[in-house]
Structure formats: C-alpha cells, structure tokens
C-alpha cells in the first residue's frame, strides 16, 4: 500500500489563496458604517411642551396656587419667567395673529448688533418711500442728519415707522432686513412668525404669536442696548438746530392716559393697528424675579384693556411663581450633533476613531495588520505540517509492501 501525500507547494498555494480571499472580502469600512448601539433614552422633561400646542388655557397649579384672573379677554397670551424661560400659563400660545408694532422687537434684535449707535446719517427721501399710510411716526425728515441712537429711540418710544425704514436702509435695505428677521426668528425658535414688513405695519401674511413675542421680549432683555431703549420713558428727538420731547407710548411704563404705571416694569414694546388690535410685550421685576407677559388683541375694555389685562397677568405670575408647574418653555431647542446612527459604545469609538477628513486609512491599516497576523500564523502552521509530512514519509519508505 502506498500512501500519497499533498506536495508542499500545493499546501502553501492553498494557504496563500485562503489569505487572499480573506483580504479581498475584508474591504475597508468607515466608522459611520459600523452599526452603533442606540442611545439610552434621556430623562423626561418636567413638563409636556405639547401643552402649548393645544388651544385654550393651559396651567398646572399646585396646591395653594392662585386662580387665573377672570378679566382677560385677549385672544392669546403668555406668562413666562424671563430667567428660566419657563411658561407659567398661556392661552392659545401658538395662535398666529397680526403683531402690529410689537414686531419691532424682532427688528431691533436683528439690526441693533449690526449698526453703530454713534454713526450719523443724512436721511434721503427714498428711504421714507415705503412708510405705510397712517403709520405712527417720530418725525424723521429727509435731508436732516441723525445719530443711529436717536433713530432707535424713535423706534422704541414713538414706534416710528419712519425711523424703522431709515435703519433698515442702513442695514442693507428692507428686503434684506426682512430676510434677516425671518432667520433671527428661526434661530430663536419662534416658528409662528412670518415677517413681511420690518415695522409691523399690516401686511398680507404677516403674523406672529404670543409665544413668539415672549421669546423676542426675553431675548431683548438680554441685550443691554435693547433693554435701555425699551425702558426709556422720555427722550429728546433732534430737529435740526433744536429738539423736541418724545414719550414712550407704552402706558404701563409711563402711566399716561389714565393707566397707572406698573411697579418694576422694564418696558419692551406695545403695538396697535385696526387689523391687529392692541398688542403688548411687557416685562417686570419684583423680588428678584423677572416675568415676561404678552397679550394679543383683547376683545373687551377698549384701548386700555391690553394694559389692564397685562397688569392682571403680571400680578398673577408673581403670586403664582413656585406654586405652578411649567406648561412649556421659551428656550429654543438645542441643536443636535450630526451623527450617522447615534453614539457608538466607548470601546467602539476608541477603535474606530478616524481623522476629521473621514479617511479610510485607519480601517485599511487594521485589515492589513489582521491579514499580516493571519499570514504569520498560517506560515508557521504550513511549516509544521511540512516537517511532519517529511518525517512520516521517511519512516514509511522503510515499510513499503
């Protein structure tokens, strides 16, 4: 009997083919293609933000909380803590309504950082062409020089649409400013606002909401220039070689026209058009707490209603603080990092760390290293096999039948 053995060259060839197949099948894989474990669920919020999406009044009182005032007829309103952003109560928070001159708060948030307050500018007739008929005016005249700071006082105190249009021109023009205002609203998380005119003048499709106006008011308080302008009661407006006094049209701040001033009021912005009715963003501080209240279009009480209903809501908010659970937040949602399938486990991240240019070289090197280790192991095994075969062949040649 003759035992036939596989030649040594054939064994090596088989091993080589096996290694080649393994290398070819092990194509480089980038880190983003590796399945990642799902991220663990985050803690549930202390409130349900969907409450603000519901129509009607939303409030979550604890024991001992005061009842909401019964004299508020506004179509929409919000009471919020300006520091934390927590919404204490609201009615139709996201109902889209015309904002009137409260939209100037968004205009200021957009243009204030872009314009030097000390810059002087000579107004042209063209800059005043787009001012709507019947607009509120501070008295800007073409051919006259104004400091930007004077124009801002004309915006905040007299709600001057003429001042808005001149400032918008300095900012690159009305169309550009409108686009910037839209972008600013999105940045702040104000999704109900659509800007058509920077001054809040009635225009088709121009809307905002009590929620968004509260967002603008809160953001404005964080800007020192905005906060100073909106809290100014009286100022002088230049008129060539002389000046004349202008008074803030926010009666809750000044106490004008039979409206008692509200203690601790920080101002912000009021508005009125025949289409929008009365609108108001107010902020007040008491006992170390600052509240923002927005009221849109009261249905009863005449011209004073927006101020008196704001007063009632401010009083309630200070009394209810700490005794109600929030129903939402003015805080814009945090931007999420862009990841393929969520974070990978720590070990996987360490193993799959790649340069910022998404290079595949680390993965290639891993495959090469693995293939090298496999080749070394197979070579050792082949050599051992060959030695064993040689010994057995030599021994059997002595016992051939």
């Amino acid at each position: 009997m003759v035992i036939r053995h596989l030649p040594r060259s054939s064994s090596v060839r088989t091993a080589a083919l096996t290694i080649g197949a393994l290398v070819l099948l092990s194509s480089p894989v980038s880190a983003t293609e590796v399945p990642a474990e799902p991220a663990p669920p985050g803690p549930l919020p202390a409130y349900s933000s969907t409450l603000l999406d519901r129509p009607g009044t939303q409030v979550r009182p604890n024991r001992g909380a005061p009842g909401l005032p019964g004299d508020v007829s506004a179509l929409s309103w919000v009471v919020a803590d300006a520091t934390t952003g927590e919404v204490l109560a609201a009615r139709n928070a996201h109902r889209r309504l015309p904002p009137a001159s409260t939209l100037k708060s968004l205009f200021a948030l957009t243009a204030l950082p872009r314009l030097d307050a000390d810059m002087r500018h000579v107004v042209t007739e063209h800059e005043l062409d787009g001012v709507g008929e019947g607009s509120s005016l501070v008295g800007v005249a073409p051919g006259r020089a104004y400091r930007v700071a004077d124009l801002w006082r004309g915006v905040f105190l007299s709600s001057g649409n003429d001042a808005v249009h001149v400032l918008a021109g300095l900012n690159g023009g009305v169309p550009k400013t409108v686009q910037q205002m839209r972008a600013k609203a999105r940045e702040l998380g104000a999704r109900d606002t659509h800007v058509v005119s920077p001054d809040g003048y009635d225009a088709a499709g121009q809307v905002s909401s009590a929620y968004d106006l509260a967002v603008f008011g809160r953001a404005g308080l964080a800007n020192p220039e905005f906060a100073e302008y909106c809290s100014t009661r009286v100022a002088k407006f230049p008129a060539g070689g002389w000046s004349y006094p202008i008074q803030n049209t926010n009666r809750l701040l000044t106490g004008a026209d039979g409206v008692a001033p509200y203690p601790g009021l920080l101002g912000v912005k009021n508005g009125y058009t025949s289409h929008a009715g009365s609108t108001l963003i107010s902020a007040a501080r008491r006992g170390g707490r600052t509240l923002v209240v927005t009221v849109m279009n009261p249905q009863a009480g005449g011209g004073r209603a927006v101020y008196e209903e704001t007063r009632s809501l401010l009083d309630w908010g200070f009394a209810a603080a700490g005794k109600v659970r929030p129903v939402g937040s003015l805080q814009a949602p945090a931007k999420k990092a862009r990841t393929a399938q969520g974070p990978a486990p720590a070990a996987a991240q360490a193993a799959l760390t790649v340069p910022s240019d998404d290079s595949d070289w680390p993965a290639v090197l891993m495959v090469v290293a693995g293939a090298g280790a496999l080749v070394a192991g197979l070579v050792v095994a082949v050599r051992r096999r060959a030695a064993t075969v040689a010994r057995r062949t030599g021994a059997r040649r002595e016992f051939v039948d």
Side-chain angles (χ1 to χ4, degrees), residues 390-401:
R391 286 195 301 270
R392 291 178 178 176
T393 301
R396 286 188 173 116
R397 282 174 182 169
E398 298 177 3
F399 301 98
V400 177
D401 291 340

Side-chain angles (χ1 to χ4, degrees), residues 102-313:
T102 52
L103 194 63
K104 290 181 172 74
S105 60
L106 177 60
F107 169 69
L109 286 171
T110 303
L112 262 174
R114 293 179 165 89
L115 301 176
D116 182 359
D118 293 324
M119 182 178 67
R120 295 183 67 83
H121 173 68
V122 178
V123 175
T124 67
E125 291 187 5
H126 175 70
E127 291 171 322
L128 301 175
D129 286 345
V131 178
E133 184 179 354
S135 290
S136 55
L137 306 172
V138 67
V140 176
R144 188 171 292 166
Y146 298 90
R147 291 173 62 245
V148 166
D150 293 325
L151 295 172
W152 279 120
R153 280 185 279 270
V155 170
F156 278 93
L157 276 68
S158 297
S159 201
N161 288 5
D162 47 357
V164 170
H165 278 259
V166 174
L167 290 168
L170 291 174
N171 189 52
V174 169
K176 180 178 179 180
T177 300
V178 166
Q179 292 300 321
Q180 291 173 347
M181 290 173 68
R182 292 175 180 175
K184 186 65 175 180
R186 290 193 298 271
E187 174 191 328
L188 294 171
R191 302 294 180 177
D192 305 320
T193 298
H194 180 67
V195 182
V196 177
S197 174
D199 51 19
Y201 190 81
D202 285 340
Q206 181 153 273
V207 292
S208 190
S209 68
Y211 178 90
D212 286 8
L213 295 183
V215 168
F216 303 152
R218 181 182 183 232
L221 293 177
N223 182 311
E225 284 187 281
F226 186 110
E228 179 183 354
Y229 288 130
C230 80
S231 63
T232 301
R233 291 174 171 80
V234 180
K236 290 185 177 181
F237 195 77
W242 62 290
S243 61
Y244 53 90
I246 56 175
Q247 178 174 281
N248 202 310
T249 54
N250 183 349
R251 302 182 203 174
L252 213 56
L253 180 67
T254 63
D257 299 327
V259 177
Y262 192 85
L265 196 81
L266 304 176
V268 184
K269 193 68 190 78
N270 60 314
Y272 173 81
T273 68
S274 57
H275 184 51
S278 294
T279 57
L280 180 61
I281 309 171
S282 292
R285 183 178 296 118
R286 181 186 299 175
R289 186 182 299 274
T290 302
L291 297 182
V292 173
V293 169
T294 55
V295 173
M296 302 189 75
N297 202 348
Q299 300 298 289
R304 299 181 185 177
V306 72
Y307 300 106
E308 299 307 331
E309 294 187 10
T310 296
R311 183 193 310 277
S312 296
L313 290 170

Side-chain angles (χ1 to χ4, degrees), residues 8 11-19 370-388:
R8 179 178 179 180
S11 300
V12 173
R13 187 180 300 110
T14 302
L17 290 173
T18 302
I19 294 168
L374 180 61
V375 168
L378 287 175
V379 168
V380 172
V382 167
R383 286 179 177 177
R384 289 179 178 176
R385 175 63 178 171
T388 301

